[in-house]
Amino acid sequence: MGNQRTRFVADAMLGSLARKLRALGFDTEYYKSGNDAELKRLASATGRVILTSDRALASLALARGAKAILVTGNNDRQRILSLKAGATRLRVPLARGDPLCSMCGGRLERVARSDVEGIVPQSVQKRHRLFYACTSCGHLYWRGSHWKRLRSLAKLLESS
Ligand SMILES: [Zn+2]
């Protein structure tokens, strides 16, 4: 659709946040290996906003004209708030799309409950009605307890 998701590339220290951002509907690449120079090149080549917990890297990227947000905090709640403040300062709009696979960033598709039979534990299958599969890696999702946590993170983004 017309809604252009905000695109991030998160550095190796921010793996947990990267997974949450995908689930929240942001196009997020997780850069778990390689050096800072490559990360900056990747960001400028792809137009992604760099998320890093490395103050020096954030300043250097900004000085070179890349968009970089310094993300601080000891948990994902704090990191989301830090990201939001940084995005406001840089005037980066935070546009979310449909939830993406937290493992690989792939698109999710609804699957029938009968299709997950024998794949997810029976207790899960009984308690949940909505299942989603990643079209890239096949990972299965359902609205479990993580869903509530995600919604509370989403609220942090929405409130001003
Ligand atoms: Zn996936």
Side-chain angles (χ1 to χ4, degrees):
M1 301 292 279
N3 182 16
Q4 185 74 42
R5 300 170 193 265
T6 308
R7 300 164 76 233
F8 296 119
V9 52
D11 80 6
M13 303 295 287
L14 298 173
S16 163
L17 179 69
R19 287 191 296 276
K20 302 287 190 316
L21 290 173
R22 287 169 175 163
L24 288 167
F26 293 107
D27 180 342
T28 307
E29 202 154 305
Y30 174 44
Y31 190 75
K32 49 180 174 299
S33 60
N35 59 39
D36 294 352
E38 281 175 55
L39 177 64
K40 277 176 283 186
R41 206 161 38 232
L42 178 69
S44 58
T46 58
R48 289 177 182 272
V49 178
I50 296 176
L51 303 178
T52 179
S53 50
D54 180 339
R55 201 170 288 273
L57 173 61
S59 326
L60 199 58
L62 283 170
R64 298 245 176 104
K67 289 204 159 147
I69 295 175
L70 177 67
V71 175
T72 57
N74 298 317
N75 57 52
D76 287 328
R77 238 186 123 73
Q78 292 174 1
R79 290 184 196 108
I80 289 271
L81 287 172
S82 166
L83 185 164
K84 189 181 168 186
T88 304
R89 271 196 304 277
L90 275 183
R91 296 171 204 270
V92 169
L94 293 178
R96 299 162 54 202
D98 289 334
L100 297 169
C101 176
S102 57
M103 311 301 279
C104 78
R107 215 165 38 79
L108 300 184
E109 235 169 43
R110 268 291 291 282
V111 288
R113 192 192 237 171
S114 54
D115 288 341
V116 302
E117 219 178 287
I119 303 173
V120 303
Q122 252 188 357
S123 56
V124 169
Q125 205 197 325
K126 270 188 194 145
R127 272 185 293 130
H128 301 283
R129 316 182 74 208
L130 295 171
F131 293 90
Y132 301 86
C134 173
T135 54
S136 298
C137 76
H139 196 85
L140 283 172
Y141 295 89
W142 54 87
R143 298 192 175 196
S145 55
H146 68 283
W147 205 269
K148 270 191 184 164
R149 250 177 295 142
L150 275 177
R151 288 193 50 126
S152 79
L153 290 179
K155 281 211 184 98
L156 293 178
L157 289 170
E158 281 148 21
S159 62
S160 51

